[in-house]
């Protein structure tokens, strides 16, 4: 296992691997690794020879008042976990000063994907996606991957990063991996650790809501109002859940759609607070061509 802390080392290693004809794949994470992250790492090996997992709790993607300080940092356990998967992995774990020379608020250059960062989570987390795209751009420049793997759990993040790579002509293939879930359906998330037992039990409503939306759409429901209403009624079964948003949006533009178009792909997405803990879930669904075509499950993002 190789652990790298500086940009210079990461770039030097990437240059050497590239000259040796190796194909490089990056898995960006904030650590506190769980089964969702591990699925990304396994997928990464399908797309290249050398896999780097970056572990960096990025200060600029936390909006004011969010959980940057208390976000779980478990580097030792993460290293052990990755070692078990493949001792040939590289871990890139830079300090904040390495990624943001000076202080994060002295950074003057930002990458912004307009419009796509203003809907869904972007509407409620000021500056979040600007922080994400900027740090991913830096990670791409540090690790020089041919491909990078992201979870569809953070569906908007995936759409935004894919668009950033396309618009900036980045020669990096952006790969999405389906959400990995607990046995009851709750999506794995580093933030699940914050939940009380009671909230953890109630949190199953998120996956129930998006699964319900997927079923409705696959059976031919084309009115997003009806889909949103059905998701809301499922979410209301969690007495202590506070719904932040429930939306059905176009899978590419992330703009709300009122009437679903056959053949198009939509994203049904929810965000719910339990206490201070904010959870999200979502599903990409292809709208069937006709009501008899129920093959629309898991529309490709
Ligand atoms: P994070 O460490 O939370 O920033 O996540 C790092 C990467 O793991 C992101 O691309 C996430 O979308 C992905 N990820 C997080 N949770 C899951 C999950 N349950 N299933 C699949 N991917 C996930």
């Amino acid at each position: 296992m190789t652990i790298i802390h500086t940009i210079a080392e990461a770039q030097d290693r990437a240059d050497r691997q590239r000259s040796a004809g190796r194909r490089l794949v990056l898995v960006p994470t904030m650590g506190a690794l769980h089964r969702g992250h591990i699925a990304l790492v396994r997928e990464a090996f399908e797309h290249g020879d050398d896999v780097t997992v970056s572990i960096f709790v990025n200060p600029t993607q936390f909006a004011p008042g969010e959980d940057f300080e208390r976000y779980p940092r478990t580097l030792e356990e993460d290293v052990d976990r990755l070692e078990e998967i493949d001792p040939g992995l590289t871990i890139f774990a830079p300090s904040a000063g390495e990624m943001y020379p000076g202080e994060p608020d002295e950074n003057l250059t930002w990458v912004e994907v307009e419009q796509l960062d203003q809907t869904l989570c972007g509407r409620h987390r000021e500056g979040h996606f600007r922080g994400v795209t900027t740090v991913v751009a830096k990670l791409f420049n540090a690790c020089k991957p041919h491909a990078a793997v992201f979870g569809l759990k953070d569906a908007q993040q995936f759409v935004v990063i894919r668009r950033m790579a396309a618009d900036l002509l980045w020669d990096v293939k952006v790969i999405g991996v389906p959400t990995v879930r607990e046995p009851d359906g709750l999506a794995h998330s580093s933030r699940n650790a914050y939940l009380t037992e009671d909230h953890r039990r109630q949190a199953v409503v998120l996956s129930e809501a998006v699964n319900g939306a997927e079923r409705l759409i696959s059976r031919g429901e084309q009115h997003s109002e009806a889909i949103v209403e059905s998701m809301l009624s499922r979410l209301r079964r969690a007495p202590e859940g506070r719904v932040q948003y429930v939306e059905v949006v176009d899978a590419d533009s992330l703009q709300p759609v009122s009437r679903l178009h056959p053949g198009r792909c939509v994203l049904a997405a929810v965000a719910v607070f339990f206490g201070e803990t904010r959870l999200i879930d979502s599903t990409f669904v292809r709208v069937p061509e006709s009501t008899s075509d129920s093959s629309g499950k898991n529309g490709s993002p």
Side-chain angles (χ1 to χ4, degrees), residues 28-31 34 36-37 40 71 149-154 157 177-180 187-190:
T29 81
M30 297 206 297
H34 51 65
H37 298 114
L40 268 54
Y71 196 86
V149 184
F150 297 88
L152 299 182
K153 149 86 170 38
D154 297 284
Q157 170 174 282
V177 173
T179 302
V180 179
H188 280 281
S189 163
S190 307

